[in-house]
Amino acid sequence: MSALTTDDLTIVGGCLLFKCLDRNDLDSLLETGSLLTLARNQQLFAAGDAAKSLYLVLDGQIKLSRFSRSGDEAVVHVFGPGETFAEAAMFMGGRYPVAATAVGAVRLLAISNARLRARVLARPEIAFAMLGSMAQHLKMLVGQIEQMKLMTARERTIRFLLDQCDGGTGPAAFTMPHDKALVANRLGMTPETFSRTLAQLTERGVNVKGALVSVDDVARLAAALSHET
Amino acid sequence: MSALTTDDLTIVGGCLLFKCLDRNDLDSLLETGSLLTLARNQQLFAAGDAAKSLYLVLDGQIKLSRFSRSGDEAVVHVFGPGETFAEAAMFMGGRYPVAATAVGAVRLLAISNARLRARVLARPEIAFAMLGSMAQHLKMLVGQIEQMKLMTARERTIRFLLDQCDGGTGPAAFTMPHDKALVANRLGMTPETFSRTLAQLTERGVNVKGALVSVDDVARLAAALSHET
DNA sequence: CGGTTATTTGACGGGTATCAAACACCGTGG
DNA sequence: CCACGGTGTTTGATACCCGTCAAATAACCG
């Protein structure tokens, strides 16, 4: 197969799906893989397409989403470098249940289902790795359902901010992982509501300038989650 | 282990997780399993508990849910006879991410994680079965997220009714799979809203009397989903 | 039959979506 | 360098779905 940079190989080796493989196993798996490049907004596959591969993101972001008849989109998750997706499809009747679209420019590695299947039979440890990966996804989806069912838009927004700040108690700052509209969709609200909510959180020490977000005091923001409006 | 009825064995054998096993494999797996009985509303495990087993429902229903700090419940899924749950937990750091509670009286089979793990190494086909089972759960959760994100309470209710009717185009009838309050929670709405929505659907040929639901014309109800308020 | 638990119904308020328009940002080409 | 179109973001006004609180009614069980 085509040229993987050494950076790429680092990513592949660090991915929890493949880290259990030694060099030989990896090579034999990758030799049928192919390197793909997608432009911004280019679709990798649609919901219902035959599933012939799973994918590893090397660079950029891929969003998985579903569409209603009326064209409204529900983003299920966004995957970044080092993450694999569509593992589940090869066990689900061979159809992808969601669509995959490049958020920006994306490079990714496609790995043949058939090939991987054969590899699993030879080395059952891979199966454990896949189970672990899918278990993570399950947990994530459960978290999303919980959020949608029992948190308000404001609470989900705060929680998103805290997630991005990633622990700590003092001041923090970060940049939006992607378009605000996409973040809003992930959080299950409209861009308008997201914007308004962020503006309103100024009084809680949140400042937004473009894609840059700064939080005066993470602990204080976290406190806003529990006891209050 | 203790007494499994022949009915129980039929259920175990029919479950997609175990149907790939022959008699010997099954016996060796079950000999460390234990038969549990839970009373209505009895909790099997809480979120955060150490995960030492996965479970197969023999009789009754088990709900998996999360609770907010304020005590509000978000039901993730309800499992019935022949279904396995908590497979994922053994690959997720050994902690259950949700709580499991008996909806009514329940009989179930607990299968040791360690034991199953050993079995998988001996027979990799089991791993495929587990992957298939988890893939199903993933798909289901994705469906729920889609529903919550882009359908109104009314649309979700209609879709629930159609699901229960299970295809067909003429008249249909069924009984609620469980308490209306629980159904409402599964659908991401309050019991009040669920009740009101059902009442309002009378004009679409839906009639509810206690736990019994009848639909005059499934096709007509389905039509209400697409083009209208 | 009495007491508890489910379900329904009503009134009300608030959180979000929707529609619409102004505004900021950014790469392109003149 | 600046005009310019396109996209992303903000802001405003409005409507309405749905949650909340409360009470009445129905169903259930010992």
Side-chain angles (χ1 to χ4, degrees), chain A residues 48-51 88-96 113 117, chain B residues 132 135-136 139:
Chain A
D49 280 2
M90 69 186 274
F91 301 100
M92 235 158 43
R95 303 264 154 203
Y96 296 114
N113 277 353
R117 225 182 180 100
Chain B
Q136 276 193 343
K139 192 175 172 183

Side-chain angles (χ1 to χ4, degrees), chain B:
Chain B
M1 70 163 284
S2 45
L4 288 183
T5 69
T6 63
D7 278 0
D8 291 343
L9 286 174
T10 306
I11 289 178
V12 175
C15 157
L16 92 153
L17 232 190
F18 301 127
K19 71 170 40 155
C20 61
L21 299 179
D22 62 27
R23 190 59 203 229
N24 283 340
D25 285 324
L26 210 57
D27 285 347
S28 94
L29 194 60
L30 295 183
E31 75 191 11
T32 52
S34 54
L35 192 63
L36 301 180
T37 304
L38 277 71
R40 167 191 173 73
N41 289 333
Q42 189 177 346
Q43 182 175 273
L44 178 59
F45 54 76
D49 281 2
K52 46 174 210 353
S53 309
L54 65 85
Y55 300 90
L56 168 62
V57 179
L58 295 173
D59 211 23
Q61 293 173 324
I62 289 276
K63 71 176 172 187
L64 266 42
S65 47
R66 283 215 186 187
F67 293 88
S68 71
R69 207 168 9 283
S70 43
D72 295 321
E73 180 179 17
V75 174
V76 174
H77 193 62
V78 178
F79 291 97
E83 296 184 302
T84 53
F85 64 94
E87 299 110 321
M90 68 186 275
F91 301 101
M92 234 160 42
R95 302 263 154 205
Y96 296 115
V98 296
T101 312
V103 172
V106 170
R107 283 175 56 246
L108 42 78
L109 196 57
I111 293 142
S112 146
N113 277 353
R115 191 69 168 195
L116 181 58
R117 224 180 182 102
R119 224 65 217 121
V120 171
L121 285 174
R123 309 188 114 262
E125 305 93 297
I126 312 178
F128 283 109
M130 293 192 70
L131 285 163
S133 176
M134 282 176 60
Q136 276 193 343
H137 295 169
L138 271 171
K139 192 175 172 183
M140 173 169 306
L141 293 183
V142 166
Q144 273 193 53
I145 290 175
E146 179 196 11
Q147 283 194 32
M148 297 294 302
K149 282 195 178 173
L150 37 81
M151 292 171 70
T152 67
R154 176 172 227 248
E155 292 169 318
R156 291 191 301 255
T157 302
I158 293 179
R159 189 158 154 169
F160 163 76
L161 295 174
L162 294 175
D163 280 354
Q164 298 299 313
C165 291
D166 218 25
T169 54
F174 63 93
T175 72
M176 292 281 177
H178 25 250
D179 273 8
K180 282 176 186 160
L182 179 50
V183 174
N185 194 325
R186 270 178 58 181
L187 295 176
M189 67 190 78
T190 60
E192 292 95 322
T193 298
F194 185 52
S195 172
R196 271 186 257 268
T197 305
L198 283 179
Q200 178 189 353
L201 283 174
T202 303
E203 60 191 29
R204 279 300 196 297
V206 176
N207 270 68
V208 181
K209 204 149 299 169
L212 273 63
V213 182
S214 66
V215 177
D216 291 352
D217 184 354
V218 174
R220 184 158 70 100
L221 184 58
L225 249 192
S226 12
H227 50 62
E228 194 203 339
T229 163

Side-chain angles (χ1 to χ4, degrees), chain A residues 71-84:
Chain A
D72 296 321
E73 181 180 17
V75 174
V76 173
H77 193 61
V78 178
F79 290 97
E83 297 184 301
T84 51

Side-chain angles (χ1 to χ4, degrees), chain A residues 190-212:
Chain A
T190 61
E192 293 95 322
T193 299
F194 185 52
S195 173
R196 272 185 256 268
T197 306
L198 282 179
Q200 180 189 353
L201 284 175
T202 302
E203 60 192 29
R204 279 300 195 299
V206 176
N207 270 68
V208 181
K209 204 148 299 168
L212 273 61

Side-chain angles (χ1 to χ4, degrees), chain A:
Chain A
M1 68 162 285
S2 45
L4 289 183
T5 70
T6 62
D7 278 0
D8 292 342
L9 287 174
T10 306
I11 288 177
V12 175
C15 156
L16 93 151
L17 232 190
F18 300 127
K19 71 170 39 156
C20 62
L21 299 179
D22 62 28
R23 189 59 204 230
N24 283 340
D25 284 324
L26 210 57
D27 287 346
S28 93
L29 195 58
L30 295 183
E31 75 190 12
T32 51
S34 54
L35 192 62
L36 300 180
T37 305
L38 277 71
R40 167 191 172 75
N41 289 334
Q42 190 179 343
Q43 182 176 272
L44 179 58
F45 54 76
D49 280 2
K52 48 178 206 350
S53 310
L54 63 88
Y55 301 90
L56 168 63
V57 180
L58 295 173
D59 211 23
Q61 294 173 325
I62 289 276
K63 70 176 172 186
L64 266 43
S65 47
R66 284 216 186 183
F67 293 88
S68 71
R69 206 167 9 281
S70 42
D72 296 321
E73 181 180 17
V75 174
V76 173
H77 193 61
V78 178
F79 290 97
E83 297 184 301
T84 51
F85 62 94
E87 299 109 321
M90 69 186 274
F91 301 100
M92 235 158 43
R95 303 264 154 203
Y96 296 114
V98 295
T101 313
V103 172
V106 170
R107 283 175 57 245
L108 43 78
L109 196 57
I111 293 141
S112 145
N113 277 353
R115 191 69 166 194
L116 181 58
R117 225 182 180 100
R119 225 62 217 123
V120 171
L121 285 174
R123 308 187 115 262
E125 305 93 296
I126 312 178
F128 284 108
M130 294 192 69
L131 285 162
S133 176
M134 284 176 60
Q136 275 192 344
H137 294 169
L138 271 172
K139 192 174 172 184
M140 171 169 309
L141 294 183
V142 167
Q144 273 194 52
I145 290 174
E146 179 196 11
Q147 282 195 32
M148 297 293 303
K149 282 195 178 173
L150 37 83
M151 292 170 72
T152 67
R154 176 172 226 249
E155 292 171 318
R156 289 192 302 257
T157 303
I158 294 179
R159 190 159 154 167
F160 163 78
L161 295 174
L162 294 175
D163 279 354
Q164 298 298 313
C165 291
D166 217 26
T169 54
F174 64 93
T175 73
M176 292 281 176
H178 25 250
D179 274 7
K180 282 175 187 160
L182 179 50
V183 174
N185 194 324
R186 270 177 59 180
L187 294 176
M189 67 190 79
T190 61
E192 293 95 322
T193 299
F194 185 52
S195 173
R196 272 185 256 268
T197 306
L198 282 179
Q200 180 189 353
L201 284 175
T202 302
E203 60 192 29
R204 279 300 195 299
V206 176
N207 270 68
V208 181
K209 204 148 299 168
L212 273 61
V213 183
S214 66
V215 177
D216 290 352
D217 184 354
V218 174
R220 185 159 68 100
L221 184 57
L225 249 190
S226 12
H227 50 62
E228 195 204 339
T229 164

